[in-house]
Amino acid sequence: PSVLIGKPMPKTVLPPIPGLNRDGKPVPGLDTATFKGGVTLVNVWASWCVPCRDEVPFLEALGKDKRFKLVGINYKDASADARRFLNRFGDPFAANGADRSGRTAIDWGVYGVPETYVVNRAGTITYKLVGPVSDGNLMSPLMPEIEKALKQ
């Protein structure tokens, strides 16, 4: 369990992944303002992370749910590798910040990638899933935690 559960999310300002476009427009990076007023799932991922590949189909399903926003933190990755990964396996993220130094991930309490956080409307971290989103954890415990955050 994370010591950040029940605490405000850390200030998060990350530039976009250079050259990452969707529908001819640059995919935005992350800013603390990205999280205001809605529930957000934050997925920390990297192109070199094999389990990150396995979770993409589950993230794509989550990304289609309009009740919350799915955003990514690309951890210690080269921009070209991150773009290649998203183009090959899928890009479920509404926004994606490049955390080249890994400093932001440290602020979030990341142990290793992938990790997914639920942030409620007030900007409080309510849940942390360590490891890939999968068949075994999507419907429980992840979705009930998202549902709880939507009611807060």
Side-chain angles (χ1 to χ4, degrees), residues 87-106:
N87 288 329
R88 180 175 178 193
F89 297 105
D91 183 358
F93 304 109
N96 220 324
D99 184 16
R100 288 204 180 139
S101 70
R103 180 71 225 166
T104 298
I106 290 169

PDB file of all heavy atoms in Angstrom, residues 87-106:
ATOM      1  N   ASN A  87       2.376   3.433 -30.853  1.00  0.00           N
ATOM      2  CA  ASN A  87       1.912   3.156 -32.222  1.00  0.00           C
ATOM      3  C   ASN A  87       1.732   1.661 -32.459  1.00  0.00           C
ATOM      4  O   ASN A  87       0.829   1.250 -33.186  1.00  0.00           O
ATOM      5  CB  ASN A  87       2.875   3.747 -33.253  1.00  0.00           C
ATOM      6  CG  ASN A  87       2.792   5.257 -33.308  1.00  0.00           C
ATOM      7  OD1 ASN A  87       1.745   5.843 -33.063  1.00  0.00           O
ATOM      8  ND2 ASN A  87       3.908   5.899 -33.612  1.00  0.00           N
ATOM      9  N   ARG A  88       2.557   0.857 -31.835  1.00  0.00           N
ATOM     10  CA  ARG A  88       2.496  -0.599 -32.044  1.00  0.00           C
ATOM     11  C   ARG A  88       1.423  -1.276 -31.187  1.00  0.00           C
ATOM     12  O   ARG A  88       0.660  -2.110 -31.663  1.00  0.00           O
ATOM     13  CB  ARG A  88       3.852  -1.212 -31.736  1.00  0.00           C
ATOM     14  CG  ARG A  88       3.852  -2.707 -31.928  1.00  0.00           C
ATOM     15  CD  ARG A  88       5.229  -3.286 -31.745  1.00  0.00           C
ATOM     16  NE  ARG A  88       5.180  -4.737 -31.895  1.00  0.00           N
ATOM     17  CZ  ARG A  88       6.136  -5.550 -31.562  1.00  0.00           C
ATOM     18  NH1 ARG A  88       7.259  -5.077 -31.066  1.00  0.00           N
ATOM     19  NH2 ARG A  88       6.007  -6.846 -31.720  1.00  0.00           N
ATOM     20  N   PHE A  89       1.357  -0.906 -29.896  1.00  0.00           N
ATOM     21  CA  PHE A  89       0.485  -1.627 -28.963  1.00  0.00           C
ATOM     22  C   PHE A  89      -0.830  -0.903 -28.686  1.00  0.00           C
ATOM     23  O   PHE A  89      -1.766  -1.516 -28.189  1.00  0.00           O
ATOM     24  CB  PHE A  89       1.225  -1.894 -27.648  1.00  0.00           C
ATOM     25  CG  PHE A  89       2.421  -2.781 -27.834  1.00  0.00           C
ATOM     26  CD1 PHE A  89       3.698  -2.259 -27.795  1.00  0.00           C
ATOM     27  CD2 PHE A  89       2.262  -4.139 -28.076  1.00  0.00           C
ATOM     28  CE1 PHE A  89       4.811  -3.072 -27.976  1.00  0.00           C
ATOM     29  CE2 PHE A  89       3.364  -4.965 -28.263  1.00  0.00           C
ATOM     30  CZ  PHE A  89       4.636  -4.427 -28.223  1.00  0.00           C
ATOM     31  N   GLY A  90      -0.894   0.400 -28.972  1.00  0.00           N
ATOM     32  CA  GLY A  90      -2.103   1.177 -28.732  1.00  0.00           C
ATOM     33  C   GLY A  90      -1.833   2.327 -27.778  1.00  0.00           C
ATOM     34  O   GLY A  90      -0.953   2.252 -26.930  1.00  0.00           O
ATOM     35  N   ASP A  91      -2.610   3.390 -27.957  1.00  0.00           N
ATOM     36  CA  ASP A  91      -2.460   4.590 -27.132  1.00  0.00           C
ATOM     37  C   ASP A  91      -3.799   4.933 -26.495  1.00  0.00           C
ATOM     38  O   ASP A  91      -4.605   5.650 -27.067  1.00  0.00           O
ATOM     39  CB  ASP A  91      -1.953   5.758 -27.978  1.00  0.00           C
ATOM     40  CG  ASP A  91      -1.705   7.008 -27.153  1.00  0.00           C
ATOM     41  OD1 ASP A  91      -1.962   7.002 -25.928  1.00  0.00           O
ATOM     42  OD2 ASP A  91      -1.266   8.010 -27.744  1.00  0.00           O
ATOM     43  N   PRO A  92      -4.041   4.448 -25.280  1.00  0.00           N
ATOM     44  CA  PRO A  92      -5.322   4.677 -24.625  1.00  0.00           C
ATOM     45  C   PRO A  92      -5.411   5.987 -23.839  1.00  0.00           C
ATOM     46  O   PRO A  92      -6.453   6.289 -23.259  1.00  0.00           O
ATOM     47  CB  PRO A  92      -5.416   3.492 -23.661  1.00  0.00           C
ATOM     48  CG  PRO A  92      -3.985   3.247 -23.271  1.00  0.00           C
ATOM     49  CD  PRO A  92      -3.189   3.549 -24.518  1.00  0.00           C
ATOM     50  N   PHE A  93      -4.331   6.776 -23.820  1.00  0.00           N
ATOM     51  CA  PHE A  93      -4.226   7.913 -22.905  1.00  0.00           C
ATOM     52  C   PHE A  93      -4.757   9.218 -23.494  1.00  0.00           C
ATOM     53  O   PHE A  93      -4.430   9.575 -24.619  1.00  0.00           O
ATOM     54  CB  PHE A  93      -2.762   8.114 -22.501  1.00  0.00           C
ATOM     55  CG  PHE A  93      -2.136   6.893 -21.890  1.00  0.00           C
ATOM     56  CD1 PHE A  93      -1.184   6.172 -22.582  1.00  0.00           C
ATOM     57  CD2 PHE A  93      -2.511   6.462 -20.634  1.00  0.00           C
ATOM     58  CE1 PHE A  93      -0.588   5.049 -22.030  1.00  0.00           C
ATOM     59  CE2 PHE A  93      -1.939   5.331 -20.067  1.00  0.00           C
ATOM     60  CZ  PHE A  93      -0.973   4.624 -20.765  1.00  0.00           C
ATOM     61  N   ALA A  94      -5.510   9.969 -22.687  1.00  0.00           N
ATOM     62  CA  ALA A  94      -5.984  11.298 -23.083  1.00  0.00           C
ATOM     63  C   ALA A  94      -4.828  12.293 -23.076  1.00  0.00           C
ATOM     64  O   ALA A  94      -4.818  13.260 -23.839  1.00  0.00           O
ATOM     65  CB  ALA A  94      -7.092  11.770 -22.135  1.00  0.00           C
ATOM     66  N   ALA A  95      -3.858  12.078 -22.204  1.00  0.00           N
ATOM     67  CA  ALA A  95      -2.656  12.915 -22.095  1.00  0.00           C
ATOM     68  C   ALA A  95      -1.536  12.003 -21.624  1.00  0.00           C
ATOM     69  O   ALA A  95      -1.784  10.961 -21.006  1.00  0.00           O
ATOM     70  CB  ALA A  95      -2.878  14.059 -21.107  1.00  0.00           C
ATOM     71  N   ASN A  96      -0.287  12.396 -21.925  1.00  0.00           N
ATOM     72  CA  ASN A  96       0.843  11.546 -21.586  1.00  0.00           C
ATOM     73  C   ASN A  96       2.051  12.432 -21.306  1.00  0.00           C
ATOM     74  O   ASN A  96       2.523  13.139 -22.193  1.00  0.00           O
ATOM     75  CB  ASN A  96       1.141  10.609 -22.754  1.00  0.00           C
ATOM     76  CG  ASN A  96       1.505   9.228 -22.308  1.00  0.00           C
ATOM     77  OD1 ASN A  96       2.155   9.056 -21.285  1.00  0.00           O
ATOM     78  ND2 ASN A  96       1.089   8.246 -23.084  1.00  0.00           N
ATOM     79  N   GLY A  97       2.538  12.419 -20.079  1.00  0.00           N
ATOM     80  CA  GLY A  97       3.688  13.229 -19.722  1.00  0.00           C
ATOM     81  C   GLY A  97       4.974  12.425 -19.762  1.00  0.00           C
ATOM     82  O   GLY A  97       5.003  11.262 -19.376  1.00  0.00           O
ATOM     83  N   ALA A  98       6.037  13.051 -20.249  1.00  0.00           N
ATOM     84  CA  ALA A  98       7.348  12.414 -20.340  1.00  0.00           C
ATOM     85  C   ALA A  98       8.133  12.688 -19.056  1.00  0.00           C
ATOM     86  O   ALA A  98       8.498  13.828 -18.776  1.00  0.00           O
ATOM     87  CB  ALA A  98       8.107  12.945 -21.555  1.00  0.00           C
ATOM     88  N   ASP A  99       8.371  11.646 -18.278  1.00  0.00           N
ATOM     89  CA  ASP A  99       9.138  11.743 -17.029  1.00  0.00           C
ATOM     90  C   ASP A  99      10.514  11.124 -17.275  1.00  0.00           C
ATOM     91  O   ASP A  99      10.815  10.035 -16.807  1.00  0.00           O
ATOM     92  CB  ASP A  99       8.387  11.024 -15.909  1.00  0.00           C
ATOM     93  CG  ASP A  99       9.069  11.170 -14.552  1.00  0.00           C
ATOM     94  OD1 ASP A  99       9.930  12.054 -14.399  1.00  0.00           O
ATOM     95  OD2 ASP A  99       8.722  10.378 -13.649  1.00  0.00           O
ATOM     96  N   ARG A 100      11.345  11.819 -18.010  1.00  0.00           N
ATOM     97  CA  ARG A 100      12.645  11.277 -18.411  1.00  0.00           C
ATOM     98  C   ARG A 100      13.566  11.007 -17.228  1.00  0.00           C
ATOM     99  O   ARG A 100      14.283  10.021 -17.208  1.00  0.00           O
ATOM    100  CB  ARG A 100      13.332  12.230 -19.381  1.00  0.00           C
ATOM    101  CG  ARG A 100      12.661  12.209 -20.711  1.00  0.00           C
ATOM    102  CD  ARG A 100      13.609  12.643 -21.796  1.00  0.00           C
ATOM    103  NE  ARG A 100      12.900  12.591 -23.052  1.00  0.00           N
ATOM    104  CZ  ARG A 100      13.007  13.502 -23.983  1.00  0.00           C
ATOM    105  NH1 ARG A 100      13.797  14.524 -23.806  1.00  0.00           N
ATOM    106  NH2 ARG A 100      12.334  13.373 -25.098  1.00  0.00           N
ATOM    107  N   SER A 101      13.542  11.889 -16.223  1.00  0.00           N
ATOM    108  CA  SER A 101      14.443  11.722 -15.080  1.00  0.00           C
ATOM    109  C   SER A 101      13.904  10.724 -14.062  1.00  0.00           C
ATOM    110  O   SER A 101      14.657  10.203 -13.250  1.00  0.00           O
ATOM    111  CB  SER A 101      14.660  13.074 -14.387  1.00  0.00           C
ATOM    112  OG  SER A 101      13.460  13.471 -13.720  1.00  0.00           O
ATOM    113  N   GLY A 102      12.598  10.489 -14.081  1.00  0.00           N
ATOM    114  CA  GLY A 102      11.985   9.621 -13.094  1.00  0.00           C
ATOM    115  C   GLY A 102      11.615  10.334 -11.804  1.00  0.00           C
ATOM    116  O   GLY A 102      11.072   9.736 -10.883  1.00  0.00           O
ATOM    117  N   ARG A 103      11.871  11.625 -11.734  1.00  0.00           N
ATOM    118  CA  ARG A 103      11.617  12.401 -10.511  1.00  0.00           C
ATOM    119  C   ARG A 103      10.126  12.433 -10.157  1.00  0.00           C
ATOM    120  O   ARG A 103       9.750  12.290  -8.996  1.00  0.00           O
ATOM    121  CB  ARG A 103      12.150  13.829 -10.701  1.00  0.00           C
ATOM    122  CG  ARG A 103      11.946  14.735  -9.524  1.00  0.00           C
ATOM    123  CD  ARG A 103      12.845  14.349  -8.377  1.00  0.00           C
ATOM    124  NE  ARG A 103      12.024  14.386  -7.176  1.00  0.00           N
ATOM    125  CZ  ARG A 103      12.350  13.871  -6.025  1.00  0.00           C
ATOM    126  NH1 ARG A 103      13.490  13.266  -5.870  1.00  0.00           N
ATOM    127  NH2 ARG A 103      11.557  13.939  -4.993  1.00  0.00           N
ATOM    128  N   THR A 104       9.274  12.625 -11.161  1.00  0.00           N
ATOM    129  CA  THR A 104       7.839  12.677 -10.892  1.00  0.00           C
ATOM    130  C   THR A 104       7.347  11.331 -10.383  1.00  0.00           C
ATOM    131  O   THR A 104       6.544  11.264  -9.447  1.00  0.00           O
ATOM    132  CB  THR A 104       7.064  13.120 -12.147  1.00  0.00           C
ATOM    133  OG1 THR A 104       7.494  14.447 -12.487  1.00  0.00           O
ATOM    134  CG2 THR A 104       5.567  13.127 -11.912  1.00  0.00           C
ATOM    135  N   ALA A 105       7.813  10.249 -10.975  1.00  0.00           N
ATOM    136  CA  ALA A 105       7.428   8.912 -10.513  1.00  0.00           C
ATOM    137  C   ALA A 105       7.829   8.707  -9.056  1.00  0.00           C
ATOM    138  O   ALA A 105       7.074   8.123  -8.274  1.00  0.00           O
ATOM    139  CB  ALA A 105       8.046   7.847 -11.412  1.00  0.00           C
ATOM    140  N   ILE A 106       8.988   9.195  -8.676  1.00  0.00           N
ATOM    141  CA  ILE A 106       9.425   9.104  -7.281  1.00  0.00           C
ATOM    142  C   ILE A 106       8.448   9.858  -6.389  1.00  0.00           C
ATOM    143  O   ILE A 106       8.048   9.370  -5.325  1.00  0.00           O
ATOM    144  CB  ILE A 106      10.870   9.631  -7.110  1.00  0.00           C
ATOM    145  CG1 ILE A 106      11.855   8.664  -7.761  1.00  0.00           C
ATOM    146  CG2 ILE A 106      11.210   9.843  -5.636  1.00  0.00           C
ATOM    147  CD1 ILE A 106      13.263   9.205  -7.889  1.00  0.00           C
TER     148      ILE A 106
END
